[in-house]
Amino acid sequence: QVQLAESGGGSVQTGGSLRLSCVVSRMTNCMGWFRQAPGKEREGVAAVSGGGSSYYADFVRGRFTISRDNAINTLYLQMNSLKPEDTGVYYCASRDVRGCNIYAEQFTNWGQGTQVTVSS
């Protein structure tokens, strides 16, 4: 069973930055970040393949950067220029099959999440 543990969440003001980390027991060919705001559906934020290809939701492209360090089994999400609408619980997740995208339903292993709050 793949285990994932997120960290790095916190509270920042609009325009601030945070870096989320996720320590994974076993890296897969596709690792992703997702978020869920109160009362909203979970949405894909970014994903990165084993070959280094990255995928982003339109609402974070140019502001967030996803990366992975396979040597230490860690996934990162660098978040810059944060906005209040970025507020939510951020989850890291992995896929066990070929391909890579930001569709939550295709990810099978999930962390418990870390809270990100952006104040206006």
Side-chain angles (χ1 to χ4, degrees):
Q1 170 126 299
V2 176
Q3 295 180 321
L4 309 93
E6 304 94 337
S7 63
S11 297
V12 298
Q13 295 182 350
T14 297
S17 297
L18 286 172
R19 188 179 75 161
L20 306 183
S21 299
C22 177
V23 178
V24 188
S25 63
R26 180 174 62 85
M27 300 288 275
T28 67
N29 287 336
C30 185
M31 307 294 300
W33 287 98
F34 301 81
R35 70 187 187 188
Q36 188 166 23
K40 304 295 183 181
E41 298 289 334
R42 186 172 299 185
E43 59 186 358
V45 174
V48 60
S49 73
S53 298
S54 58
Y55 309 86
Y56 295 95
D58 288 342
F59 52 80
V60 303
R61 187 173 288 109
R63 299 188 297 124
F64 293 8
T65 302
I66 188 170
S67 61
R68 59 191 287 166
D69 188 337
N70 292 328
I72 58 172
N73 285 359
T74 303
L75 179 72
Y76 300 100
L77 183 68
Q78 178 66 48
M79 305 186 294
N80 299 323
S81 301
L82 284 163
K83 307 173 182 179
E85 51 262 46
D86 294 320
T87 294
V89 178
Y90 282 69
Y91 301 88
C92 61
S94 68
R95 288 167 52 112
D96 293 324
V97 298
R98 278 192 295 123
C100 198
N101 54 45
I102 57 171
Y103 297 118
E105 65 269 20
Q106 296 186 16
F107 285 74
T108 57
N109 306 295
W110 296 85
Q112 292 185 334
T114 185
Q115 177 70 43
V116 171
T117 302
V118 185
S119 62
S120 59

